[in-house]
Amino acid sequence: MRTAPTILHLDMDAFFASVEQASKPSLRGKAVVVGGLGPRGVVATCSYEARVFGVHSAMPMGQARRLAPHAAYLVPRFELYRSISEQVMRLLRELSPLVEPLSLDEAFVDLEAGHAAWDAESARLAGARLRADIRAVTGLTGSVGLAASKMLAKIASEEAKPDGLVLIPPGTERAMLEPMTVRTLPGVGPATGDHLRRAGITTVGEIAEAGEDELVRLLGKAHGHALYAMALARDERPVVAERETKSVSVEDTYDVDIHDRVRVGVEVGRLADRCVRRLRASGLSGRTIVLKVRRYDFSTLTRSETLRGPTDDPAVVREAAARLLDSVDTTGGVRLLGVGVSGLADYTQEDLFAQAAGDVPEVPAEEPETGPVEEHGPSPAERRWPAGHDVRHAALGHGWVQGSGLGRVTVRFETPYSEVGRVRTFPVDDPELSPADPLPLVTGAEGGEAGQPSSLPLPASLPKSWSGGGGPAATSRP
């Protein structure tokens, strides 16, 4: 393991919800929940104000509504989140060529590889500068952990939340880990944690005291060895800039079970086309087509078929998925469908023939990924207004949808740079109302509104850092 805390872990604070709060002045400081709003939807992210009521990620949306009935419930705007994530990742790559993204809002950075840090003080300054840069570019906050290993850097960023920095000086790792719960360690979920608890092991220090042989007896060879090493703060994993993609897949959960076999087939074809678009966007192809079906009773079936060679032809993937569907009984109803491709490659068998013939396989027309088609949904002529999405009114300007139903849509007219806006209600087919692109969260960004004050004040200087009083970790908070 390293002798300096030069591995950085960044985790943006309540990312989706923070983006929504930054773009909507009326939601700042309020409980915000982002996710699927249907009866089977789940929480993707919630603001810290919502967490006070017990709401958390992956919770069923119905339960979240019961816990926080007055929160704002919004449909995700993934394109906006991706664009902001790209801004953050560019800042990370300015620090080092070795950046390992884990998701849209989380990544490891090897500061040593980019000569951005070589000891504790330079690492702390790099982390503080990164947080200030993220605030200036996106208007959002992120928490930073710095340590000599990936495991410890991630634990440090969790300790830093929200909007802080924690540095774990080398040599203090064991002292910091010992009192922490076993669930702190990666790979220790509820089941493993409960198994250890029944054996009298509740803290990381007690894992180390139990010894490697006892852990192997309790958890098996692979898990026991790995857990013992982590309890001793041993983690030699490098930061990997490019992680190999093993599969590409898409799936949809339906608010109402689908019973019509023809409708199921149409959905599978639509999912296959979406999957191929993702394949092509990544410059990949695959040999194995996978179909996932979750039935009315929550039983989940998977079927797969391996082709003679890799493909990114939508017709081939659709036909293979349809053949797989023929082997699945959907009589009782289907609540979830998914199509995936694995056995990935960066070429296709068709490439050779296309190069010779000067032909390129046809790509299906792009469709917005707005989720599954409702079995008894609105007519094609009726426009849909997802809660939280951007709109523009010909006379009133930019706003966002607070809600819709019964032939009406309610809009709050405000921007990231304005004061809290007023609310107006319109017929859903009002010709002066139209969907709009999101605005940048801070002024000066591409496409921003010139002359508008920033919605979030930037710090006058870098955050100050100081050592934690008597503890093993150094902390920094604005």
Side-chain angles (χ1 to χ4, degrees):
M1 204 162 72
R2 303 185 182 199
T3 58
T6 54
I7 292 182
L8 179 149
H9 181 260
L10 170 71
D11 196 351
M12 300 295 288
D13 299 322
F15 184 51
F16 296 174
S18 293
V19 170
E20 299 299 343
Q21 288 178 318
S23 66
K24 301 173 172 65
S26 57
L27 297 185
R28 292 171 194 164
K30 306 289 181 61
V32 174
V33 181
V34 180
L37 302 190
R40 292 176 180 170
V42 297
V43 176
T45 309
C46 60
S47 66
Y48 288 98
E49 293 85 357
R51 297 179 193 188
V52 172
F53 298 99
V55 181
H56 58 77
S57 299
M59 172 181 285
M61 191 61 76
Q63 183 180 356
R65 288 184 183 275
R66 289 191 294 272
L67 292 172
H70 302 297
Y73 290 85
L74 308 177
V75 175
R77 298 186 290 169
F78 288 113
E79 287 304 315
L80 175 60
Y81 307 151
R82 290 189 189 101
S83 68
I84 296 172
S85 173
E86 288 169 3
Q87 292 177 308
V88 173
M89 295 302 165
R90 278 197 295 271
L91 292 174
L92 297 183
R93 293 187 180 97
E94 290 175 4
L95 286 174
S96 172
L98 290 184
V99 176
E100 183 178 340
L102 304 179
S103 62
L104 290 177
D105 63 335
E106 186 179 1
F108 287 109
V109 183
D110 188 334
L111 297 177
E112 189 176 301
H115 307 290
W118 49 92
D119 58 13
E121 187 57 31
S122 59
R124 183 183 293 111
L125 289 174
R129 185 167 57 250
L130 172 65
R131 293 180 58 236
D133 289 345
I134 290 173
R135 180 81 173 239
V137 170
T138 69
L140 304 177
T141 63
S143 296
V144 166
L146 292 157
S149 71
K150 290 169 70 172
M151 178 191 77
L152 292 166
K154 184 171 174 60
I155 291 173
S157 70
E158 286 296 320
E159 293 293 304
K161 280 188 167 293
D163 190 21
L165 182 153
V166 168
L167 183 149
I168 303 175
T172 66
E173 297 94 347
R174 290 282 302 276
M176 182 207 69
L177 284 175
E178 283 180 356
M180 291 185 169
T181 172
V182 295
R183 292 288 303 278
T184 303
L185 298 180
V188 180
T192 301
D194 190 55
H195 193 52
L196 291 170
R197 181 188 58 78
R198 289 197 299 269
I201 300 172
T202 59
T203 67
V204 176
E206 289 169 347
I207 290 178
E209 291 175 5
E212 192 167 16
D213 292 341
E214 177 65 9
L215 290 171
V216 168
R217 186 186 70 81
L218 288 171
L219 304 173
K221 189 173 182 180
H223 202 180
H225 286 313
L227 196 60
Y228 183 69
M230 288 189 290
L232 298 181
R234 297 174 187 165
D235 180 15
E236 302 294 341
R237 294 173 300 156
V239 176
V240 181
E242 297 294 336
R243 296 194 300 170
E244 182 182 358
T245 302
K246 297 183 179 180
S247 66
V248 174
S249 63
V250 297
E251 63 181 41
D252 278 335
T253 300
Y254 302 92
D255 291 344
V256 179
D257 289 348
I258 303 175
H259 295 84
D260 184 352
R261 183 74 177 190
V262 174
R263 166 79 190 290
V264 173
V266 169
E267 290 293 319
V268 168
R270 186 177 63 83
L271 290 167
D273 287 346
R274 282 173 52 192
C275 185
V276 168
R277 285 197 295 274
R278 291 192 180 182
L279 269 180
R280 290 191 169 188
S282 302
L284 298 171
S285 60
R287 297 180 67 236
T288 302
I289 314 302
V290 181
L291 175 71
K292 177 180 177 181
V293 179
R294 180 166 298 150
R295 299 189 291 189
Y296 69 98
D297 59 356
F298 287 91
S299 61
T300 302
L301 305 177
T302 56
R303 299 287 186 268
S304 64
E305 176 181 320
T306 299
L307 309 174
R308 288 181 296 177
T311 185
D312 65 351
D313 187 329
V316 173
V317 176
R318 280 197 303 268
E319 291 168 5
R323 288 194 297 271
L324 295 170
L325 180 61
D326 288 340
S327 65
V328 178
D329 179 12
T330 61
T331 305
V334 171
R335 61 186 292 122
L336 177 146
L337 289 168
V339 174
V341 177
S342 60
L344 301 181
D346 56 5
Y347 69 94
T348 69
Q349 279 192 330
E350 293 89 341
D351 287 341
L352 303 177
F353 299 102
Q355 290 172 12
D359 187 25
V360 179
E362 181 182 355
V363 182
E366 185 69 29
E367 69 176 52
E369 294 187 10
T370 55
V373 178
E374 293 184 2
E375 194 158 11
H376 301 290
S379 65
E382 183 177 324
R383 291 186 292 175
R384 302 183 66 182
W385 304 99
H389 283 224
D390 297 82
V391 295
R392 179 168 291 277
H393 190 273
L396 300 174
H398 193 93
W400 58 277
V401 176
Q402 281 203 168
S404 63
L406 301 177
R408 296 182 177 86
V409 55
T410 300
V411 177
R412 184 180 288 275
F413 289 96
E414 60 186 8
T415 74
Y417 335 107
S418 72
E419 300 296 328
V420 174
R422 293 186 175 182
V423 175
R424 294 282 299 273
T425 299
F426 308 91
V428 294
D429 57 354
D430 190 318
E432 294 193 309
L433 194 65
S434 61
D437 292 329
L439 298 175
L441 301 186
V442 297
T443 56
E446 184 179 350
E449 297 186 4
Q452 296 287 345
S454 172
S455 60
L456 293 172
L458 303 183
S461 60
L462 293 181
K464 296 180 180 180
S465 301
W466 64 88
S467 296
T475 62
S476 164
R477 297 188 187 275

